[in-house]
Amino acid sequence: DFLHLDLLKNVSSREELLQLCEKEPNWELLLNEEVVKRLFQVNKQYELLNQIKPKSINDLADVLALMRPGKKHLVSNYITNKKHVRGLLYKKIGTEYSYKKSHAIAYAMLIVAQLNMLSSEYNLEHTNVDNESPFEIEQFTKICTDNS
């Protein structure tokens, strides 16, 4: 499974990626529709983000899970009882689609890195001279969680 993004071409080093992952983002940016349109995975989910108002990696991972088929019906319950619904989000029930929490966290961390790039006024259209291929999910997750 690959994170197929040009975003990572803008990261010059492992250390820079770690900094982008570790820095607490400005979560209020997720309430700005123009910012959301530029984000990986959630670019068409402004309304959902506005309902959930994520303030952590776990909240953002939950948004990613709530977007998935078979989980959208849980949104209103999530808003009123996050702890209970969080227990259902990543479980496969019957034939319904399930979303792995590890993938949700990895993608949420990538969105955090993107938010930090945006708030640091990175140029998202810039391409790396080396034009390296995208990171694999496992590699991205490992880099972002090694120092946690």
Side-chain angles (χ1 to χ4, degrees), residues 5 10-11 24 34 44 57 110 116 137:
L5 291 171
N10 298 315
V11 178
E24 189 72 18
E34 292 307 309
K44 295 179 182 172
I57 294 274
L110 182 60
N116 285 327
I137 284 181

Side-chain angles (χ1 to χ4, degrees), residues 35-46:
V35 170
V36 171
K37 286 178 184 177
R38 296 178 67 188
L39 297 174
F40 170 71
Q41 289 278 316
V42 295
N43 59 341
K44 295 179 182 172
Q45 300 297 324
Y46 173 74

Side-chain angles (χ1 to χ4, degrees), residues 64-75 85 88-99:
L64 294 165
L66 286 164
M67 293 168 26
R68 304 298 179 226
K71 302 297 181 180
K72 290 180 182 182
H73 69 280
L74 296 172
V75 171
V85 174
L88 303 173
L89 276 178
Y90 306 99
K91 288 186 179 178
K92 183 172 182 142
I93 300 171
T95 60
E96 104 182 351
Y97 176 84
S98 71
Y99 191 54

Side-chain angles (χ1 to χ4, degrees), residues 99-112:
Y99 191 54
K100 292 182 180 179
K101 186 167 186 174
S102 60
H103 286 183
I105 294 290
Y107 289 133
M109 292 175 84
L110 182 60
I111 293 168
V112 164

